[in-house]
Amino acid sequence: MNDLRVKLITYGCQMNEYDTHLVASELASIGAAFVDTVEEANFVLVNTCAVRGKPVEKVKSLLGQLRKEKERRKEPFLIGMMGCLASLEEGQAIARKFGVDVLLGAGAIHKIAEALAQTGAFWDVGFYREIDEVVPPPPRGTLSAFVTLIRGCDHRCTYCVVPRTRGPEVSRHPDLILREVEQLLEAGIVEVTLLGQNVNSYGKDDPAYPDFADLIRRVAALGVRRLRFVTSHPMNFSDRIVEAIAETPAVGQYVHLPVQAGSDRVLRRMAREYRRDYYLERVARLREALPDLVLSTDIIVGFPGETEEDFQQTLDLYDEVGFDAAYMFIYSARPGTPSYERFEDLPREVKVERLQRLIEKQKEWSLRRNQAWVGREVEVLVRGPAKEAHWVEGHDQSNHPVLLPASEAPVAGLYRATVEQATPHLLFGKVAERLLAAPEPLEAAS
Ligand code: 5AD
Ligand code: SF4
C-alpha cells in the first residue's frame, strides 16, 4: 500500500513493547508514517498478549471495533495482529472471525515489510532465528530503553502459554546487544532494561556466547548509568549472577524473582522445578550479597487444586520473605496449557477472595518496606508529570516509584532526592540536586 499510515497498539509485557518498537523501525524503513488515532490510519497493527484471559478479551473487543471501522471505510483499511495471541490457534480463530489481513506470530514479526508488499492476506506463525537486528534508539529525550537479550522459554510451567507462543530460548548475538546498547548511550539513554522471558538463561543455547553474569558486566562496562533486567527464573538464578550484580554498581540492588506459590504441592503441579526451601535459600543468598535488596515477585492465586492450606503457605512465604512488591494474578485457565487440560479450575469466588487476602498482605509489607526508606537518599529518574497535580513521577535505582514536587524537578532527568514520606505504592521525596537533565525534554513537567 502506498501512503501507509500506521497506528500501533500494544498490549502486554515489556517484551511486546520492544517488539512493537522493532516492527515500527521496519515500517519506517519502508516509508510508513505513524499516526495517533485509528481514524487517521489505514493500517492498524495490534501487538497482542495471551498470558491470561483478560488481555485476550481486550484484543477481541478492539478487533470488533476495527472490523466496524473497516466496513465504514471506502479506502483500503488493513487490520494487523502480531505477538503471542497471533501464535496460538485460539488467536488465529479470532483473527479469522474479525477479518485480520496481516497476522504475524511472536516468532515472525520481522516479516512485516514482506507482509505489506503482498496483495491479499499474509499470515505467518513460524519461529525464525532471524528476528535479530539492531533496533534503533527511541526518540531523543527518552531516558530509558529496553534491549531484548533472549527470546522464548525452555521451562514448561503448566499454566503458561509462553513456551508455545514464543518458542524455545534463542539468545541474541552478544555483538548485536552491545552495539544496540552503545547506540542507546549515544542517544542519551540513562537506564537500560535487559529483557527476556528468562534472562538468566542467556547464552545457554550457544557455547560461544557469554553467560548472563558476564553479559551484565560487559554491558555495564560500556558506561550504562543504570542497568536493570527482567525476568528471572529461580532455577537459573545462579551464584555467578548474584556475584555479578553485587560487583556491578549500575545494576543497583533490585531483583524481580517470581515465586508463583508458597506450597510445594502447588509448585510441583505448576512444574516450577523448585521447592519453597530452594526459593528461600536463593533469597537468603541475594540478601547476603546485597544488603539493601529490594525484591519483587509474581504470585498466582487459585491454581487448580490449591487448598486453603496451600494458600496459607503462600501467605506464610510472603511473611518469611517480606517482599517489597508483588504482581498478583488470579489463575487464568488458558486453552492448550497442561494445567488447562489436566486440572479443574477453582470457583471464581474462591480465587477472588484469596487474591484480596494476598493484596492485604502485600500492602502491609510494601508500606513497611517503603517506610524503611524514609530519610534515605535515592536517585530518581523523572519521566514527567504525575497524575497527582504539582508532582512529577519517576523511579529510583531500586525501582520504587517516587514522586517529587514539580517545582523542584521541572524537567525530565535524574535527581538526587531525600525520601520524606511513604505509602504502600509510592515514595515522596524532596530534591537535593539535579544530576542530569534530559537532552530534549519529552514533555514539560507541570
Ligand atoms: N494465569 C495467571 N497468571 C499467569 N501468569 C502466567 N500465566 C498465567 C496464567 N495462566 C503470570 C505468572 C508470570 C506472569 C508474567 O504472569 O505469574 O510470572
Ligand atoms: Fe511461562 Fe514459566 Fe517460561 Fe515464565 S518460566 S515464561 S512462567 S513457562
Side-chain angles (χ1 to χ4, degrees):
M1 201 190 301
N2 293 325
D3 175 34
L4 194 59
R5 283 166 284 122
V6 184
K7 165 73 180 158
L8 296 166
I9 300 172
T10 307
Y11 292 102
C13 63
Q14 295 164 333
M15 299 278 288
N16 266 16
E17 273 182 53
Y18 179 90
D19 284 350
T20 299
H21 189 59
L22 184 153
V23 168
S25 76
E26 296 252 333
L27 287 167
S29 74
I30 57 166
F34 297 96
V35 294
D36 293 329
T37 62
V38 168
E39 290 68 37
E40 295 165 90
N42 54 14
F43 176 41
V44 179
L45 179 57
V46 189
N47 195 356
T48 60
C49 171
V51 85
R52 282 174 291 275
K54 237 190 219 156
V56 175
E57 289 311 312
K58 281 191 194 154
V59 169
K60 272 194 204 163
S61 96
L62 174 66
L63 289 175
Q65 290 165 23
L66 293 177
R67 183 175 57 180
K68 281 197 197 120
E69 182 72 23
K70 191 172 178 174
E71 285 161 5
R72 266 198 298 273
R73 292 285 178 106
K74 309 225 167 23
E75 312 277 286
F77 180 80
L78 295 178
I79 304 176
M81 177 175 174
M82 62 183 260
C84 283
L85 186 57
S87 298
L88 298 176
E89 265 300 322
E90 182 189 7
Q92 291 144 28
I94 294 169
R96 273 191 289 276
K97 180 167 164 206
F98 291 105
V100 164
D101 304 282
V102 173
L103 180 135
L104 299 174
I109 57 172
H110 62 306
K111 296 222 165 181
I112 187 70
E114 191 183 324
L116 291 168
Q118 311 267 319
T119 44
F122 183 98
W123 286 29
D124 194 332
V125 294
F127 291 105
Y128 300 90
R129 288 188 88 94
E130 297 83 64
I131 317 181
D132 205 7
E133 54 195 278
V134 173
V135 175
R140 256 196 117 63
T142 313
L143 296 171
S144 299
F146 299 131
V147 174
T148 288
L149 297 190
I150 175 167
R151 295 174 175 277
C153 183
D154 284 351
H155 290 281
R156 289 290 175 270
C157 303
T158 53
Y159 49 81
C160 188
V161 293
V162 168
R164 279 184 309 133
T165 62
R166 289 190 174 267
E169 288 170 2
V170 179
S171 302
R172 291 180 74 201
H173 196 290
D175 291 351
L176 285 181
I177 295 167
L178 294 170
R179 193 149 18 108
E180 199 164 297
V181 173
E182 271 169 354
Q183 288 184 5
L184 291 173
L185 295 178
E186 277 159 25
I189 292 291
V190 174
E191 178 184 78
V192 173
T193 304
L194 305 174
L195 296 180
Q197 229 63 53
N198 179 11
V199 284
N200 309 149
S201 286
Y202 177 79
K204 285 216 172 94
D205 48 322
D206 194 322
Y209 292 2
D211 68 358
F212 182 58
D214 282 339
L215 191 74
I216 288 179
R217 293 190 178 94
R218 284 170 66 174
V219 171
L222 297 173
V224 179
R225 178 139 190 165
R226 266 197 201 181
L227 189 57
R228 304 197 303 158
F229 56 90
V230 274
T231 191
S232 295
H233 192 294
M235 284 315 281
N236 307 110
F237 211 107
S238 63
D239 284 353
R240 274 179 60 76
I241 297 174
V242 178
E243 282 152 23
I245 297 169
E247 283 165 25
T248 313
V251 177
Q253 300 203 11
Y254 168 67
V255 172
H256 180 69
L257 194 62
V259 65
Q260 311 297 4
S263 135
D264 282 345
R265 206 176 67 87
V266 174
L267 287 171
R268 199 169 51 241
R269 287 158 70 97
M270 287 177 163
R272 285 293 287 178
E273 305 166 39
Y274 56 84
R275 291 171 182 231
R276 171 197 181 94
D277 282 352
Y278 172 84
Y279 186 87
L280 292 171
E281 184 276 323
R282 285 292 81 192
V283 172
R285 178 76 191 88
L286 275 163
R287 289 219 161 109
E288 194 186 316
L290 308 163
D292 268 338
L293 179 72
V294 170
L295 183 67
S296 61
T297 197
D298 289 348
I299 296 175
I300 297 177
V301 299
F303 186 77
E306 181 189 75
T307 62
E308 175 57 29
E309 206 183 352
D310 290 323
F311 177 63
Q312 200 60 50
Q313 289 189 32
T314 297
L315 294 176
D316 291 348
L317 177 108
Y318 209 112
D319 284 330
E320 213 166 325
V321 175
F323 292 107
D324 294 83
Y327 299 90
M328 298 159 287
F329 308 102
I330 283 186
Y331 170 74
S332 173
R334 303 299 302 121
T337 56
S339 64
Y340 175 91
E341 308 294 341
R342 271 188 238 148
F343 307 129
E344 195 160 333
D345 208 355
L346 289 178
R348 183 151 177 89
E349 317 82 74
V350 174
K351 298 196 283 187
V352 171
E353 194 265 341
R354 287 184 188 163
L355 178 68
Q356 280 159 353
R357 279 153 69 200
L358 185 64
I359 291 174
E360 284 312 307
K361 173 79 62 199
Q362 173 267 322
K363 275 197 202 145
E364 273 169 37
W365 270 107
S366 293
L367 180 61
R368 198 154 137 193
R369 299 281 304 168
N370 280 353
Q371 275 172 342
W373 285 82
V374 173
R376 294 185 62 173
E377 251 187 19
V378 291
E379 205 183 88
V380 188
L381 189 63
V382 170
R383 267 187 308 271
K387 285 198 298 289
E388 295 79 353
H390 312 302
W391 294 90
V392 291
E393 66 168 1
H395 55 279
D396 70 6
Q397 65 278 27
S398 322
N399 205 36
H400 295 113
V402 186
L403 299 196
L404 299 175
S407 57
E408 297 177 9
V411 292
L414 200 59
Y415 294 82
R416 196 160 58 76
T418 309
V419 179
E420 296 204 309
Q421 217 190 318
T423 69
H425 298 292
L426 287 173
L427 301 180
F428 291 84
K430 185 172 169 40
V431 172
E433 184 189 0
R434 183 161 87 194
L435 300 167
L436 186 147
E440 285 161 41
L442 277 181
E443 27 182 0
S446 59

